[in-house]
Amino acid sequence: KLEPDAAAASQVDLKFRNLTDVDVKVYAVDLMRLYLTRRNLDAIAGIDLAGIRPLLEKSIPLGGGKPFAEGAEAIDLPLEKEGAYLVMARGGNLYTSGIVLVSPLELEVLEEVDAGRVRVRVRDAVTGAYVPKAQVKVIGSDNPKFISGETDLRGVMVAEGVRGTATVVARKGTAQYAFHRGKTYLGQQAQQVPQKPGDGQTADKPQESPQSLEFNIRQQNDFNREGQRRRLESRYNAAPGGQGVQVDQAR
């Protein structure tokens, strides 16, 4: 499991168990375009980077080479330029990935649950100043389209009509990013209305329940995760190829 190290922008913490080494690859990506392509950041490992040469590739020993070791390892990433970086790690047949941002931007996000409203404020973490004219895109897990806008002079952008858990990405210029992933469902969840006999449903036919819908969603999510795992595996086994990362190739 990869986690950013709050104390050092050029490090990530890798949590591991029963691994003696890990292979790490780092790619530069356009986070905004990636976001628009994937609709959220949960499926970020599913982008196709076949034939793209990583900025960094190295093998790291873990746990002092002892079998059945468990712990965390700080991985140094010599990332000097501002931007977004996709980090992928493989240990044996296990894979994980994450996004590292080298950016001064940070987000203050207020989620209004019942109203389905997300209030975003973009600020410079170094100076504390609010950032106007930053591009912001918001989408809920049940929204068909993105809600887009720019921050005002107070660094604020408000998105209305958000349904589901919200994902927010902000960009200033070409290389400064910040993002937020919500955990709370916003807006009103759709309710299924049971049909009465004679409304296209016989009395002895079982009605579809919200539980069956949730089961189908979980089943689809499991299928998507398995597909992402297979793409990660094929990506590591692919022969090295071209230069740079074009996220529009990640469709």
Short mmCIF file of all heavy atoms in Angstrom, two decimals, residues 37-96:
data_model
loop_
_atom_site.label_atom_id
_atom_site.label_comp_id
_atom_site.label_asym_id
_atom_site.label_seq_id
_atom_site.Cartn_x
_atom_site.Cartn_y
_atom_site.Cartn_z
N THR A 37 -10.64 11.56 -18.29
CA THR A 37 -10.73 10.28 -18.99
C THR A 37 -11.34 9.21 -18.11
O THR A 37 -12.18 8.43 -18.56
CB THR A 37 -9.33 9.83 -19.46
OG1 THR A 37 -8.78 10.84 -20.30
CG2 THR A 37 -9.40 8.53 -20.22
N ARG A 38 -10.92 9.15 -16.84
CA ARG A 38 -11.34 8.05 -15.96
C ARG A 38 -12.57 8.39 -15.13
O ARG A 38 -13.13 7.51 -14.50
CB ARG A 38 -10.18 7.69 -15.01
CG ARG A 38 -8.85 7.42 -15.68
CD ARG A 38 -8.91 6.34 -16.70
NE ARG A 38 -9.35 5.07 -16.14
CZ ARG A 38 -9.42 3.95 -16.85
NH1 ARG A 38 -9.11 3.95 -18.12
NH2 ARG A 38 -9.81 2.83 -16.28
N ARG A 39 -12.97 9.69 -15.06
CA ARG A 39 -14.13 10.16 -14.29
C ARG A 39 -13.90 10.19 -12.79
O ARG A 39 -14.57 10.92 -12.08
CB ARG A 39 -15.38 9.33 -14.58
CG ARG A 39 -16.03 9.65 -15.90
CD ARG A 39 -17.25 8.77 -16.13
NE ARG A 39 -18.16 8.80 -14.98
CZ ARG A 39 -19.11 9.71 -14.80
NH1 ARG A 39 -19.26 10.68 -15.68
NH2 ARG A 39 -19.90 9.66 -13.75
N ASN A 40 -12.99 9.42 -12.27
CA ASN A 40 -12.63 9.51 -10.85
C ASN A 40 -11.21 9.02 -10.70
O ASN A 40 -10.59 8.56 -11.66
CB ASN A 40 -13.60 8.70 -9.97
CG ASN A 40 -13.58 7.22 -10.29
OD1 ASN A 40 -12.55 6.56 -10.17
ND2 ASN A 40 -14.72 6.68 -10.71
N LEU A 41 -10.68 9.12 -9.50
CA LEU A 41 -9.28 8.75 -9.27
C LEU A 41 -9.15 7.35 -8.69
O LEU A 41 -8.04 6.90 -8.42
CB LEU A 41 -8.62 9.78 -8.34
CG LEU A 41 -8.61 11.20 -8.91
CD1 LEU A 41 -7.97 12.16 -7.91
CD2 LEU A 41 -7.89 11.27 -10.23
N ASP A 42 -10.27 6.65 -8.48
CA ASP A 42 -10.19 5.29 -7.97
C ASP A 42 -9.64 4.33 -9.02
O ASP A 42 -8.96 3.37 -8.69
CB ASP A 42 -11.57 4.80 -7.51
CG ASP A 42 -12.08 5.60 -6.33
OD1 ASP A 42 -11.24 6.08 -5.53
OD2 ASP A 42 -13.30 5.75 -6.19
N ALA A 43 -9.95 4.61 -10.30
CA ALA A 43 -9.53 3.71 -11.38
C ALA A 43 -8.25 4.19 -12.04
O ALA A 43 -7.99 3.89 -13.20
CB ALA A 43 -10.65 3.59 -12.40
N ILE A 44 -7.44 4.92 -11.31
CA ILE A 44 -6.30 5.57 -11.91
C ILE A 44 -5.23 4.58 -12.37
O ILE A 44 -4.47 4.84 -13.29
CB ILE A 44 -5.69 6.60 -10.92
CG1 ILE A 44 -5.09 7.76 -11.67
CG2 ILE A 44 -4.71 5.96 -9.97
CD1 ILE A 44 -4.95 9.01 -10.85
N ALA A 45 -5.20 3.40 -11.74
CA ALA A 45 -4.23 2.39 -12.15
C ALA A 45 -4.63 1.70 -13.44
O ALA A 45 -3.85 0.93 -14.00
CB ALA A 45 -4.05 1.35 -11.05
N GLY A 46 -5.85 1.99 -13.93
CA GLY A 46 -6.32 1.31 -15.11
C GLY A 46 -5.88 1.96 -16.41
O GLY A 46 -6.24 1.48 -17.49
N ILE A 47 -5.13 3.06 -16.36
CA ILE A 47 -4.73 3.71 -17.60
C ILE A 47 -3.68 2.86 -18.31
O ILE A 47 -2.93 2.12 -17.68
CB ILE A 47 -4.18 5.13 -17.34
CG1 ILE A 47 -2.89 5.10 -16.55
CG2 ILE A 47 -5.20 5.98 -16.64
CD1 ILE A 47 -2.24 6.45 -16.41
N ASP A 48 -3.65 2.98 -19.62
CA ASP A 48 -2.76 2.16 -20.43
C ASP A 48 -1.46 2.90 -20.68
O ASP A 48 -1.42 3.89 -21.40
CB ASP A 48 -3.45 1.83 -21.76
CG ASP A 48 -2.62 0.88 -22.61
OD1 ASP A 48 -1.60 0.38 -22.10
OD2 ASP A 48 -3.00 0.66 -23.77
N LEU A 49 -0.38 2.43 -20.07
CA LEU A 49 0.93 3.04 -20.24
C LEU A 49 1.87 2.12 -21.01
O LEU A 49 3.09 2.28 -20.93
CB LEU A 49 1.54 3.37 -18.87
CG LEU A 49 0.79 4.42 -18.05
CD1 LEU A 49 1.41 4.57 -16.68
CD2 LEU A 49 0.78 5.76 -18.76
N ALA A 50 1.31 1.17 -21.73
CA ALA A 50 2.15 0.24 -22.49
C ALA A 50 3.01 1.00 -23.49
O ALA A 50 2.54 1.86 -24.22
CB ALA A 50 1.27 -0.78 -23.21
N GLY A 51 4.30 0.68 -23.52
CA GLY A 51 5.22 1.33 -24.44
C GLY A 51 5.75 2.66 -23.97
O GLY A 51 6.51 3.31 -24.69
N ILE A 52 5.37 3.12 -22.76
CA ILE A 52 5.83 4.40 -22.23
C ILE A 52 6.99 4.16 -21.28
O ILE A 52 6.93 3.31 -20.40
CB ILE A 52 4.70 5.14 -21.50
CG1 ILE A 52 3.51 5.34 -22.43
CG2 ILE A 52 5.19 6.47 -20.96
CD1 ILE A 52 3.82 6.13 -23.68
N ARG A 53 8.05 4.92 -21.47
CA ARG A 53 9.23 4.75 -20.61
C ARG A 53 9.04 5.53 -19.30
O ARG A 53 8.76 6.72 -19.31
CB ARG A 53 10.48 5.27 -21.33
CG ARG A 53 11.78 5.10 -20.53
CD ARG A 53 12.97 5.49 -21.38
NE ARG A 53 13.05 4.62 -22.57
CZ ARG A 53 13.88 4.87 -23.58
NH1 ARG A 53 14.66 5.93 -23.56
NH2 ARG A 53 13.90 4.05 -24.62
N PRO A 54 9.20 4.88 -18.16
CA PRO A 54 9.03 5.57 -16.87
C PRO A 54 10.17 6.55 -16.61
O PRO A 54 11.29 6.38 -17.09
CB PRO A 54 9.03 4.42 -15.85
CG PRO A 54 9.80 3.33 -16.51
CD PRO A 54 9.50 3.44 -17.98
N LEU A 55 9.85 7.58 -15.80
CA LEU A 55 10.89 8.53 -15.38
C LEU A 55 11.86 7.87 -14.40
O LEU A 55 13.04 8.22 -14.36
CB LEU A 55 10.24 9.74 -14.70
CG LEU A 55 9.33 10.62 -15.55
CD1 LEU A 55 8.75 11.72 -14.70
CD2 LEU A 55 10.09 11.20 -16.73
N LEU A 56 11.35 6.95 -13.62
CA LEU A 56 12.15 6.29 -12.61
C LEU A 56 11.75 4.83 -12.55
O LEU A 56 10.57 4.49 -12.60
CB LEU A 56 11.93 6.94 -11.24
CG LEU A 56 12.58 6.27 -10.02
CD1 LEU A 56 14.10 6.39 -10.11
CD2 LEU A 56 12.08 6.89 -8.73
N GLU A 57 12.74 3.95 -12.43
CA GLU A 57 12.49 2.52 -12.31
C GLU A 57 13.59 1.92 -11.45
O GLU A 57 14.77 2.06 -11.75
CB GLU A 57 12.48 1.87 -13.69
CG GLU A 57 12.13 0.39 -13.69
CD GLU A 57 12.00 -0.17 -15.09
OE1 GLU A 57 12.30 0.57 -16.06
OE2 GLU A 57 11.60 -1.33 -15.22
N LYS A 58 13.20 1.29 -10.34
CA LYS A 58 14.22 0.70 -9.47
C LYS A 58 13.62 -0.41 -8.63
O LYS A 58 12.40 -0.49 -8.42
CB LYS A 58 14.86 1.75 -8.57
CG LYS A 58 13.93 2.45 -7.59
CD LYS A 58 14.71 3.47 -6.77
CE LYS A 58 13.82 4.22 -5.80
NZ LYS A 58 14.58 5.19 -4.97
N SER A 59 14.49 -1.30 -8.14
CA SER A 59 14.10 -2.38 -7.25
C SER A 59 14.60 -2.05 -5.85
O SER A 59 15.74 -1.61 -5.67
CB SER A 59 14.68 -3.70 -7.74
OG SER A 59 14.29 -4.76 -6.89
N ILE A 60 13.73 -2.26 -4.85
CA ILE A 60 14.05 -1.86 -3.48
C ILE A 60 13.90 -3.07 -2.55
O ILE A 60 12.86 -3.73 -2.53
CB ILE A 60 13.10 -0.74 -3.01
CG1 ILE A 60 13.24 0.47 -3.94
CG2 ILE A 60 13.39 -0.35 -1.57
CD1 ILE A 60 12.21 1.54 -3.67
N PRO A 61 14.94 -3.41 -1.77
CA PRO A 61 14.82 -4.50 -0.78
C PRO A 61 13.94 -4.06 0.38
O PRO A 61 13.95 -2.91 0.80
CB PRO A 61 16.27 -4.74 -0.35
CG PRO A 61 16.96 -3.44 -0.60
CD PRO A 61 16.30 -2.82 -1.80
N LEU A 62 13.19 -5.01 0.93
CA LEU A 62 12.27 -4.72 2.03
C LEU A 62 12.55 -5.65 3.21
O LEU A 62 12.93 -6.80 3.03
CB LEU A 62 10.82 -4.93 1.58
CG LEU A 62 10.33 -4.08 0.41
CD1 LEU A 62 8.92 -4.52 0.02
CD2 LEU A 62 10.33 -2.60 0.77
N GLY A 63 12.34 -5.14 4.40
CA GLY A 63 12.41 -5.96 5.61
C GLY A 63 13.75 -6.61 5.84
O GLY A 63 13.83 -7.67 6.47
N GLY A 64 14.83 -6.01 5.32
CA GLY A 64 16.16 -6.59 5.51
C GLY A 64 16.32 -7.94 4.84
O GLY A 64 17.21 -8.71 5.21
N GLY A 65 15.47 -8.22 3.84
CA GLY A 65 15.56 -9.49 3.13
C GLY A 65 15.01 -10.68 3.90
O GLY A 65 15.14 -11.82 3.45
N LYS A 66 14.39 -10.43 5.05
CA LYS A 66 13.87 -11.53 5.87
C LYS A 66 12.47 -11.92 5.39
O LYS A 66 11.64 -11.06 5.14
CB LYS A 66 13.81 -11.11 7.35
CG LYS A 66 15.15 -10.76 7.95
CD LYS A 66 15.00 -10.32 9.40
CE LYS A 66 16.35 -9.96 10.01
NZ LYS A 66 16.22 -9.51 11.42
N PRO A 67 12.22 -13.23 5.26
CA PRO A 67 10.88 -13.67 4.87
C PRO A 67 9.86 -13.39 5.97
O PRO A 67 10.21 -13.33 7.16
CB PRO A 67 11.05 -15.16 4.63
CG PRO A 67 12.23 -15.55 5.45
CD PRO A 67 13.15 -14.35 5.46
N PHE A 68 8.61 -13.19 5.59
CA PHE A 68 7.48 -12.97 6.51
C PHE A 68 7.62 -11.67 7.30
O PHE A 68 7.01 -11.49 8.34
CB PHE A 68 7.32 -14.15 7.48
CG PHE A 68 7.27 -15.48 6.81
CD1 PHE A 68 8.31 -16.37 6.96
CD2 PHE A 68 6.19 -15.82 6.00
CE1 PHE A 68 8.28 -17.61 6.33
CE2 PHE A 68 6.15 -17.05 5.38
CZ PHE A 68 7.19 -17.95 5.53
N ALA A 69 8.47 -10.76 6.80
CA ALA A 69 8.62 -9.47 7.47
C ALA A 69 7.40 -8.60 7.19
O ALA A 69 6.74 -8.72 6.17
CB ALA A 69 9.89 -8.77 7.01
N GLU A 70 7.12 -7.69 8.11
CA GLU A 70 6.01 -6.75 7.96
C GLU A 70 6.47 -5.39 8.45
O GLU A 70 7.13 -5.27 9.48
CB GLU A 70 4.79 -7.21 8.77
CG GLU A 70 3.60 -6.27 8.69
CD GLU A 70 2.40 -6.80 9.44
OE1 GLU A 70 2.49 -7.93 9.97
OE2 GLU A 70 1.39 -6.08 9.51
N GLY A 71 6.13 -4.35 7.69
CA GLY A 71 6.55 -3.02 8.10
C GLY A 71 6.26 -1.98 7.04
O GLY A 71 5.37 -2.15 6.21
N ALA A 72 7.02 -0.89 7.07
CA ALA A 72 6.87 0.21 6.11
C ALA A 72 8.25 0.66 5.67
O ALA A 72 9.20 0.64 6.45
CB ALA A 72 6.09 1.36 6.73
N GLU A 73 8.34 1.05 4.42
CA GLU A 73 9.60 1.50 3.85
C GLU A 73 9.37 2.85 3.18
O GLU A 73 8.43 3.03 2.40
CB GLU A 73 10.09 0.49 2.80
CG GLU A 73 11.47 0.79 2.25
CD GLU A 73 12.59 0.30 3.17
OE1 GLU A 73 12.30 -0.55 4.04
OE2 GLU A 73 13.72 0.77 3.00
N ALA A 74 10.21 3.84 3.51
CA ALA A 74 10.15 5.15 2.86
C ALA A 74 10.90 5.08 1.54
O ALA A 74 12.09 4.77 1.51
CB ALA A 74 10.75 6.23 3.76
N ILE A 75 10.20 5.35 0.45
CA ILE A 75 10.79 5.28 -0.88
C ILE A 75 11.09 6.69 -1.36
O ILE A 75 10.20 7.54 -1.45
CB ILE A 75 9.84 4.58 -1.86
CG1 ILE A 75 9.54 3.16 -1.39
CG2 ILE A 75 10.42 4.56 -3.26
CD1 ILE A 75 8.54 2.43 -2.25
N ASP A 76 12.35 6.95 -1.63
CA ASP A 76 12.76 8.26 -2.13
C ASP A 76 12.41 8.39 -3.61
O ASP A 76 12.74 7.52 -4.42
CB ASP A 76 14.26 8.47 -1.94
CG ASP A 76 14.64 8.62 -0.48
OD1 ASP A 76 13.88 9.28 0.26
OD2 ASP A 76 15.67 8.06 -0.08
N LEU A 77 11.78 9.50 -3.96
CA LEU A 77 11.44 9.79 -5.34
C LEU A 77 12.08 11.13 -5.71
O LEU A 77 11.62 12.18 -5.24
CB LEU A 77 9.93 9.87 -5.53
CG LEU A 77 9.13 8.61 -5.15
CD1 LEU A 77 7.64 8.88 -5.31
CD2 LEU A 77 9.55 7.43 -6.00
N PRO A 78 13.12 11.14 -6.52
CA PRO A 78 13.80 12.39 -6.87
C PRO A 78 12.98 13.20 -7.88
O PRO A 78 13.34 13.33 -9.05
CB PRO A 78 15.12 11.90 -7.48
CG PRO A 78 14.80 10.56 -8.04
CD PRO A 78 13.78 9.96 -7.13
N LEU A 79 11.86 13.75 -7.41
CA LEU A 79 10.95 14.51 -8.27
C LEU A 79 11.13 15.99 -7.97
O LEU A 79 10.68 16.50 -6.95
CB LEU A 79 9.51 14.08 -8.01
CG LEU A 79 9.22 12.59 -8.16
CD1 LEU A 79 7.79 12.27 -7.77
CD2 LEU A 79 9.52 12.11 -9.57
N GLU A 80 11.81 16.69 -8.87
CA GLU A 80 12.14 18.09 -8.63
C GLU A 80 11.16 19.04 -9.30
O GLU A 80 10.94 20.15 -8.83
CB GLU A 80 13.56 18.37 -9.14
CG GLU A 80 14.63 17.55 -8.43
CD GLU A 80 16.01 17.81 -8.98
OE1 GLU A 80 16.11 18.58 -9.96
OE2 GLU A 80 16.98 17.24 -8.44
N LYS A 81 10.55 18.62 -10.40
CA LYS A 81 9.65 19.50 -11.13
C LYS A 81 8.23 19.38 -10.58
O LYS A 81 7.79 18.32 -10.17
CB LYS A 81 9.66 19.15 -12.62
CG LYS A 81 10.98 19.43 -13.32
CD LYS A 81 10.86 19.11 -14.81
CE LYS A 81 12.15 19.41 -15.54
NZ LYS A 81 12.04 19.11 -17.01
N GLU A 82 7.52 20.52 -10.60
CA GLU A 82 6.11 20.48 -10.22
C GLU A 82 5.34 19.62 -11.21
O GLU A 82 5.63 19.58 -12.39
CB GLU A 82 5.52 21.90 -10.21
CG GLU A 82 6.06 22.78 -9.10
CD GLU A 82 5.39 24.14 -9.08
OE1 GLU A 82 4.74 24.50 -10.11
OE2 GLU A 82 5.50 24.86 -8.08
N GLY A 83 4.35 18.91 -10.69
CA GLY A 83 3.53 18.08 -11.56
C GLY A 83 2.88 16.95 -10.81
O GLY A 83 2.96 16.85 -9.58
N ALA A 84 2.21 16.06 -11.56
CA ALA A 84 1.56 14.88 -11.01
C ALA A 84 2.29 13.64 -11.51
O ALA A 84 2.66 13.56 -12.69
CB ALA A 84 0.09 14.83 -11.43
N TYR A 85 2.47 12.66 -10.63
CA TYR A 85 3.26 11.48 -10.95
C TYR A 85 2.49 10.23 -10.50
O TYR A 85 2.01 10.15 -9.36
CB TYR A 85 4.61 11.52 -10.26
CG TYR A 85 5.45 12.70 -10.68
CD1 TYR A 85 5.35 13.92 -10.00
CD2 TYR A 85 6.31 12.62 -11.76
CE1 TYR A 85 6.11 15.01 -10.39
CE2 TYR A 85 7.08 13.71 -12.16
CZ TYR A 85 6.97 14.90 -11.47
OH TYR A 85 7.71 16.00 -11.85
N LEU A 86 2.38 9.28 -11.41
CA LEU A 86 1.78 7.99 -11.11
C LEU A 86 2.88 7.04 -10.66
O LEU A 86 3.85 6.81 -11.38
CB LEU A 86 1.08 7.42 -12.35
CG LEU A 86 0.52 5.99 -12.24
CD1 LEU A 86 -0.54 5.89 -11.15
CD2 LEU A 86 -0.04 5.53 -13.59
N VAL A 87 2.74 6.49 -9.44
CA VAL A 87 3.72 5.58 -8.86
C VAL A 87 3.10 4.18 -8.82
O VAL A 87 2.01 4.01 -8.25
CB VAL A 87 4.14 6.02 -7.44
CG1 VAL A 87 5.20 5.07 -6.89
CG2 VAL A 87 4.65 7.44 -7.46
N MET A 88 3.79 3.21 -9.40
CA MET A 88 3.31 1.83 -9.39
C MET A 88 4.37 0.94 -8.76
O MET A 88 5.57 1.10 -9.03
CB MET A 88 2.99 1.36 -10.80
CG MET A 88 1.89 2.17 -11.47
SD MET A 88 1.28 1.41 -13.00
CE MET A 88 2.78 1.37 -13.96
N ALA A 89 3.93 0.02 -7.93
CA ALA A 89 4.85 -0.88 -7.24
C ALA A 89 4.38 -2.32 -7.40
O ALA A 89 3.17 -2.59 -7.34
CB ALA A 89 4.95 -0.52 -5.76
N ARG A 90 5.34 -3.22 -7.60
CA ARG A 90 5.02 -4.64 -7.72
C ARG A 90 5.94 -5.44 -6.81
O ARG A 90 7.16 -5.28 -6.83
CB ARG A 90 5.21 -5.12 -9.16
CG ARG A 90 4.87 -6.61 -9.33
CD ARG A 90 5.20 -7.10 -10.74
NE ARG A 90 6.64 -7.15 -10.96
CZ ARG A 90 7.20 -7.66 -12.05
NH1 ARG A 90 6.44 -8.12 -13.02
NH2 ARG A 90 8.51 -7.68 -12.17
N GLY A 91 5.35 -6.31 -6.00
CA GLY A 91 6.10 -7.25 -5.18
C GLY A 91 5.56 -8.64 -5.40
O GLY A 91 4.43 -8.93 -5.01
N GLY A 92 6.32 -9.50 -6.07
CA GLY A 92 5.80 -10.82 -6.44
C GLY A 92 4.65 -10.66 -7.42
O GLY A 92 4.79 -10.01 -8.46
N ASN A 93 3.49 -11.21 -7.08
CA ASN A 93 2.31 -11.05 -7.93
C ASN A 93 1.33 -10.04 -7.37
O ASN A 93 0.15 -10.01 -7.73
CB ASN A 93 1.61 -12.41 -8.12
CG ASN A 93 1.11 -12.98 -6.80
OD1 ASN A 93 1.49 -12.49 -5.73
ND2 ASN A 93 0.29 -14.02 -6.87
N LEU A 94 1.80 -9.17 -6.45
CA LEU A 94 0.97 -8.14 -5.84
C LEU A 94 1.32 -6.78 -6.44
O LEU A 94 2.49 -6.47 -6.70
CB LEU A 94 1.17 -8.11 -4.32
CG LEU A 94 0.85 -9.41 -3.58
CD1 LEU A 94 1.19 -9.25 -2.10
CD2 LEU A 94 -0.61 -9.79 -3.76
N TYR A 95 0.28 -5.93 -6.62
CA TYR A 95 0.47 -4.63 -7.25
C TYR A 95 -0.25 -3.56 -6.43
O TYR A 95 -1.29 -3.82 -5.81
CB TYR A 95 -0.11 -4.61 -8.66
CG TYR A 95 0.49 -5.64 -9.59
CD1 TYR A 95 0.00 -6.94 -9.62
CD2 TYR A 95 1.54 -5.31 -10.43
CE1 TYR A 95 0.54 -7.89 -10.47
CE2 TYR A 95 2.08 -6.25 -11.28
CZ TYR A 95 1.58 -7.53 -11.30
OH TYR A 95 2.12 -8.47 -12.14
N THR A 96 0.29 -2.36 -6.45
CA THR A 96 -0.39 -1.20 -5.88
C THR A 96 0.06 0.03 -6.64
O THR A 96 1.06 0.02 -7.35
CB THR A 96 -0.09 -1.06 -4.37
OG1 THR A 96 -0.93 -0.03 -3.83
CG2 THR A 96 1.36 -0.68 -4.13
#
